Structure formats: structure tokens, C-alpha cells
């Protein structure tokens, strides 16, 4: 049966000094997207107008609303989250930009938690200037995990077509990665990844490749013991529970030989191990927070201060993030 529901997709503004508004406006300027969803940006009306003028898109406009009761299905909507004047300093990290990014996250998060939104797509934030007494998270994935699921219930997954990369650890200093790994943690991430492949992507009996931590998978303990003592036992435990996990595979040979094409997903031990090949192979990809009852996606790029305001940002990743959120909602409905 066809799913023709018009989903309410909340979109956070991200950092007002980066490319967030540029990719949002460009993605929403093709009004055919309104046939799939009703977008609601949680942001600043004056910041949106400022960026729209820079992009020279006179035919594009938001429907400015005060609450969700005023939603328009004919234009993208914007809920103004702050009334006072806010200075925009393109390409610069400022305290007020971080405060506005945080305010957007909490405003949209409350509406999602209350059932007034179907999903959230987040524009890029600056992980440093968004820090406050209330926001102490190392990234948006960690924020949503805390806000909706509690500790260790979520996983960052990068998605580009059939390439899907999950992570055991996210935004963690490299010197802390090995100490963080445990058989229990890796098994839990495999469980989250396997369930997401089934529930969110509609894959039956999916296969997962698990990467090693050390060069050459530790060379039988010569270059590290994590593979023998932690990673392999976690894979064996997962396999006993009917999760089709294989490995551990050395990351360089695994990606270099094209072996990643043989699996439905890949589990990386740390951020750059999975992110580097993903960004080379999976252009215009999407960041999805798996393992939570809610759907949250994001374009797979940062604030890009260096090109902010120059009309050079590619909006396809933001567009794909909106599409993926809708696809996951439809898969969950099935």
C-alpha cells in the first residue's frame, strides 16, 4: 500500500555564520519537495532573509509562523525562535551563533518529543561555540541520544546509497579509543546497526563487516590484542544471536580492495576510520542517528565557514538528508 502521508519535517538552522541557511534554502527552493513533506525551519526570520538575499533567490520565501497550528503546506515554514536582533558574522565562530544553534535544537526537540513533528533534519553546528551549562555534548548525535534515548542507545550512521557506515565510538580523542572499546559495547553497536538495517532500511538478514582497530588486524597480537580479546569475541557473540557480523577486517585492505561492496553495512571502531573512506566514496552523504525511537538526519558536512556567504555550498547532502528521513519514516510505518 502506498504511503502518501505528508510528513512534518523539522529543520534546525545550525550555525547562522556557516552554510546552514544556504543549503536549507537551496534544498527547499525546489517546491516539489512540498509534495513529500511539510518543512518547518526552527530559526531566525532575519537571518533567513539575510541569507536569502545573498543567494539572490527572489522567488523563494518562507511562511513565517508562531506555532505549528499555522503551518502552510504550500511553502516552507519558519518558526522564529528569538525576537531580538542577532548579528551575523559570516565565516566566524561567535557565542551568539552557538546560543541560537542550541535554542533551535531544543525548540525542535520539544516539538518532536511531543509528537508534533515526524522527524528532524539538522543543519551543521560548531561543536565548540554551542557548548553551555545546558549543552555539554560532543556533537548532535550525543545530544539526541541523551534527549531521546539515554546513554549508549544510539549510533552515528553515515549513509550514501548502499554504503552505510556505523561507529562504535564517535567524537572521541584517538588516544582514548582503545580504552573505550569492550566486547559489550561492540556487541551493542552491532545490535543497534542490525536492527536499524531491518527496521529503517527494510533489509532482511543484512550483513555487517566489522573493522579492526590495529594495523593488519593486530597481526595475531603482535600489533595489538584488541582484535583477539575484544572485537572477535563480540563478533562471535553477535553471530550466535543471528546477527550476520564478519571480521575483523583491516580497514585499508577492506576499502582498498572494494570489499565494502559485499556488505550491507560496516562497523568502524572510531570516527576517522570510517569517516575518511565514506567521504571519499560516498559524496553528498547523510548522517543518521540510528537506535532511537525518533528519526534524525543531517547533511554529512560541517559549517564550512570558508565558503559561507559565497553561494558555493552544495545543497544535495541536505536534500538527501530530508529524503532519507522520509524514507526511514515510510519503512518504519511498513
Amino acid at each position: 500500500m502506498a504511503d502518501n502521508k505528508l510528513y512534518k519535517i523539522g529543520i534546525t538552522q545550525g550555525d547562522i555564520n556557516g552554510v546552514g541557511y544556504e543549503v536549507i534554502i537551496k534544498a527547499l527552493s525546489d517546491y516539489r519537495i512540498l509534495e513529500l513533506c511539510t518543512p518547518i525551519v526552527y530559526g531566525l526570520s532575519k537571518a533567513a532573509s539575510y541569507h536569502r538575499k545573498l543567494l539572490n533567490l527572489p522567488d523563494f520565501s518562507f511562511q513565517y509562523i508562531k506555532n505549528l497550528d499555522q503551518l502552510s503546506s504550500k511553502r516552507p515554514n519558519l518558526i522564529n525562535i528569538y525576537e531580538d536582533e542577532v548579528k551575523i558574522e559570516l565565516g566566524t565562530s561567535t557565542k551568539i551563533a552557538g546560543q541560537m544553534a542550541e535554542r533551535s535544537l531544543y525548540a525542535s526537540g520539544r516539538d518532536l518529543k511531543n509528537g508534533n513533528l515526524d522527524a528532524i533534519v539538522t543543519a551543521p553546528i560548531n561543536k565548540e561555540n554551542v557548548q553551555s551549562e545546558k549543552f555539554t555534548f560532543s556533537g548532535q548525535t550525543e545530544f539526541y541520544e541523551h534527549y531521546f534515548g539515554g546513554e549508549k542507545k544510539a549510533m552515528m550512521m553515515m549513509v550514501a546509497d548502499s554504503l552505510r557506515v556505523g561507529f562504535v565510538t564517535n567524537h572521541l580523542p584517538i588516544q582514548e579509543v582503545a580504552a573505550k572499546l569492550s566486547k559489550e559495547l561492540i556487541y551493542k553497536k552491532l545490535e543497534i546497526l542490525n536492527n536499524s538495517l531491518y527496521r529503517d532500511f527494510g533489509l532482511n538478514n543484512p550483513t555487517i563487516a566489522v573493522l579492526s582497530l590495529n594495523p593488519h588486524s593486530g597481526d595475531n597480537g603482535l600489533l595489538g590484542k584488541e582484535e583477539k580479546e575484544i572485537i572477535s569475541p563480540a563478533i562471535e557473540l553477535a553471530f550466535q544471536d543471528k546477527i550476520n557480523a564478519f571480521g575483523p577486517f583491516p580497514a585499508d585492505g577492506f576499502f582498498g580492495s572494494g570489499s565494502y561492496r559485499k556488505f550491507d553495512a560496516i562497523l568502524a571502531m572510531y570516527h576517522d576510520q570510517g569517516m575518511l573512506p565514506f567521504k571519499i566514496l560516498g559524496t553528498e552523504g547523510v548522517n543518521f542517528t540510528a537506535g532511537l525511537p525518533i528519526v534524525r538526519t543531517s547533511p554529512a558536512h560541517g559549517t564550512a565557514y570558508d565558503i559561507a556567504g559565497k553561494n558555493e555550498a552544495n545543497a544535495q547532502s541536505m536534500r538527501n538528508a530530508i529524503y532519507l528521513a522520509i524514507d526511514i519514516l515510510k519503512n518504519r510505518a511498513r
Side-chain angles (χ1 to χ4, degrees), residues 271-291:
H271 184 278
D272 284 14
Q273 183 186 52
M275 196 65 77
L276 179 61
F278 176 84
K279 289 198 172 183
I280 293 174
L281 298 168
T283 57
E284 302 170 347
V286 177
N287 182 343
F288 166 54
T289 304

Side-chain angles (χ1 to χ4, degrees), residues 35-110:
E35 298 173 7
L36 302 173
C37 68
T38 299
I40 307 107
V41 176
Y42 288 74
L44 307 173
S45 57
K46 292 182 179 179
S49 297
Y50 177 88
H51 283 274
R52 181 183 64 82
K53 291 176 182 177
L54 285 178
L55 296 172
N56 191 26
L57 292 172
D59 295 333
F60 176 87
S61 64
F62 283 107
Q63 174 75 24
Y64 295 112
I65 59 176
K66 293 183 178 180
N67 56 64
L68 295 180
D69 293 334
Q70 301 173 332
L71 278 182
S72 169
S73 60
K74 297 180 179 179
R75 279 194 292 171
N77 301 269
L78 186 144
I79 291 182
N80 201 44
I81 60 170
Y82 192 70
E83 296 296 336
D84 294 345
E85 190 74 30
V86 173
K87 185 178 182 181
I88 297 175
E89 300 179 61
L90 291 174
T92 304
S93 173
T94 63
K95 184 177 181 179
I96 189 65
Q99 291 172 345
M100 293 301 102
E102 177 188 2
R103 186 178 287 255
S104 179
L105 284 169
Y106 278 103
S108 59
R110 283 192 296 270

Side-chain angles (χ1 to χ4, degrees), residues 123-139:
I125 64 171
N126 181 310
K127 295 179 180 64
E128 182 181 8
N129 69 24
V130 77
Q131 297 297 313
S132 68
E133 291 184 4
K134 189 177 181 181
F135 193 99
T136 58
F137 310 100
S138 58

Side-chain angles (χ1 to χ4, degrees), residues 169 172-182 213 269-271:
T169 63
L172 198 66
I174 194 71
Q175 65 180 1
E176 299 178 18
V177 170
K180 184 74 172 179
L181 297 180
S182 67
L213 174 68
M269 293 297 113
Y270 58 94
H271 184 278

Side-chain angles (χ1 to χ4, degrees), residues 27-290:
L28 300 181
S29 62
D30 184 347
Y31 282 178
R32 288 178 297 180
I33 204 165
L34 299 177
E35 298 173 7
L36 302 173
C37 68
T38 299
I40 307 107
V41 176
Y42 288 74
L44 307 173
S45 57
K46 292 182 179 179
S49 297
Y50 177 88
H51 283 274
R52 181 183 64 82
K53 291 176 182 177
L54 285 178
L55 296 172
N56 191 26
L57 292 172
D59 295 333
F60 176 87
S61 64
F62 283 107
Q63 174 75 24
Y64 295 112
I65 59 176
K66 293 183 178 180
N67 56 64
L68 295 180
D69 293 334
Q70 301 173 332
L71 278 182
S72 169
S73 60
K74 297 180 179 179
R75 279 194 292 171
N77 301 269
L78 186 144
I79 291 182
N80 201 44
I81 60 170
Y82 192 70
E83 296 296 336
D84 294 345
E85 190 74 30
V86 173
K87 185 178 182 181
I88 297 175
E89 300 179 61
L90 291 174
T92 304
S93 173
T94 63
K95 184 177 181 179
I96 189 65
Q99 291 172 345
M100 293 301 102
E102 177 188 2
R103 186 178 287 255
S104 179
L105 284 169
Y106 278 103
S108 59
R110 283 192 296 270
D111 280 343
L112 184 60
K113 184 172 281 190
N114 291 333
N116 298 320
L117 296 174
D118 294 303
I120 283 182
V121 177
T122 59
I125 64 171
N126 181 310
K127 295 179 180 64
E128 182 181 8
N129 69 24
V130 77
Q131 297 297 313
S132 68
E133 291 184 4
K134 189 177 181 181
F135 193 99
T136 58
F137 310 100
S138 58
Q140 296 189 92
T141 298
E142 292 78 9
F143 164 75
Y144 283 100
E145 179 177 52
H146 172 80
Y147 199 71
F148 288 98
E151 300 303 319
K152 298 182 181 179
K153 291 186 178 180
M155 184 183 65
M156 181 168 71
M157 186 194 304
M158 306 305 296
V159 181
D161 297 324
S162 61
L163 178 63
R164 307 174 190 90
V165 182
F167 298 80
V168 177
T169 63
N170 298 336
H171 304 107
L172 198 66
I174 194 71
Q175 65 180 1
E176 299 178 18
V177 170
K180 184 74 172 179
L181 297 180
S182 67
K183 181 179 77 171
E184 293 74 21
L185 178 62
I186 295 171
Y187 171 80
K188 182 62 179 176
K189 297 296 183 178
L190 280 169
E191 188 177 46
I192 293 171
L193 182 53
N194 186 69
N195 290 341
S196 180
L197 292 171
Y198 174 77
R199 180 188 184 198
D200 301 325
F201 295 88
L203 298 174
N204 289 315
N205 211 29
T207 56
I208 302 170
V210 182
L211 300 183
S212 62
L213 174 68
N214 298 297
H216 310 297
S217 285
D219 260 350
N220 203 30
L222 180 65
L223 302 177
K225 298 181 179 180
E226 286 81 5
E227 285 73 20
K228 293 179 65 176
E229 297 179 357
I230 298 174
I231 303 176
S232 290
I235 294 172
E236 292 171 8
L237 180 61
F239 207 84
Q240 290 171 11
D241 287 344
K242 299 182 180 180
I243 296 173
N244 295 320
F246 302 91
F249 300 104
D252 57 346
F254 180 80
F255 286 105
S257 66
S259 295
Y260 64 91
R261 300 188 185 95
K262 302 175 183 177
F263 296 88
D264 294 307
I266 300 145
L267 185 66
M269 293 297 113
Y270 58 94
H271 184 278
D272 284 14
Q273 183 186 52
M275 196 65 77
L276 179 61
F278 176 84
K279 289 198 172 183
I280 293 174
L281 298 168
T283 57
E284 302 170 347
V286 177
N287 182 343
F288 166 54
T289 304

